[in-house]
């Protein structure tokens, strides 16, 4: 039984990590989260947003990767909010941001500690048994 559980866990972890290549990880890591005033004088490349993701970290990674694909060096996070994920009753996080290309000498070299938006609490998903008096007896 324990061996089966280990194999399932290994398979799931492999599937989750296989979705992103090492090159994409490196691209996303190069994008620096900045405050709006820190990108003054940089070129705005476009708005980027994530799909609803299970964790804020996953949403942040997706937004940084999209910014990197635009050629961005910096990202200003704009909004983070909970949203249903697909047809399920589970909530995830959506993150929106603005991608900037800063020439050498402009923009921060390291992420600003306050540049990441605070993570809102996710709502409790509705139960498929809500309103079923027989279920709660």
């Amino acid at each position: 039984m324990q061996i089966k559980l280990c194999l399932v866990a290994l398979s799931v972890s492999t599937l989750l990590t296989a979705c992103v290549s090492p090159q994409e990880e490196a691209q996303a890591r190069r994008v620096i989260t900045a405050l709006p005033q820190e990108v003054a004088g940089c070129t705005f490349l476009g708005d980027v947003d994530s799909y609803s993701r299970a964790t804020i970290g996953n949403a942040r990674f997706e937004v940084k990767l999209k910014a990197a694909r635009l050629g961005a060096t910096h990202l200003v996070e704009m909004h983070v909010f909970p949203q249903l994920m697909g047809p399920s009753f589970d909530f995830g996080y959506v993150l929106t941001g603005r991608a900037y290309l800063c020439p050498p000498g402009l923009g921060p070299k390291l992420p600003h500690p306050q540049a990441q938006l605070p993570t809102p609490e996710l709502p409790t998903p509705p139960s498929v048994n809500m309103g079923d008096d027989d279920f709660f007896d």
Side-chain angles (χ1 to χ4, degrees), residues 11-64:
S11 299
V12 170
S13 67
T14 302
L15 287 173
L16 292 176
T17 57
C19 295
V20 178
S21 72
Q23 293 82 8
E24 289 173 319
E25 278 191 52
Q27 282 180 311
R29 290 182 199 275
R30 283 193 291 267
V31 175
I32 296 170
T33 307
L35 294 170
Q37 60 270 24
E38 293 179 309
V39 293
C42 300
T43 304
F44 172 68
L45 299 176
D47 292 317
V48 288
D49 58 333
S50 73
Y51 290 101
S52 186
R53 298 294 180 196
T55 69
I56 189 64
N58 289 348
R60 191 165 277 128
F61 176 83
E62 183 181 354
V63 169
K64 283 185 163 192

Side-chain angles (χ1 to χ4, degrees), residues 46-109:
D47 292 317
V48 288
D49 58 333
S50 73
Y51 290 101
S52 186
R53 298 294 180 196
T55 69
I56 189 64
N58 289 348
R60 191 165 277 128
F61 176 83
E62 183 181 354
V63 169
K64 283 185 163 192
L65 183 58
K66 287 180 177 182
R69 288 177 176 160
L70 291 176
T73 55
H74 292 78
L75 173 75
V76 174
E77 293 184 4
M78 300 303 293
H79 305 284
V80 61
F81 54 91
Q83 186 176 48
L84 285 172
M85 294 191 307
S88 74
F89 288 112
D90 295 322
F91 282 91
Y93 297 99
V94 172
L95 182 66
T96 67
R98 296 174 63 85
Y100 291 88
L101 173 61
C102 296
L106 283 182
K109 302 290 182 232

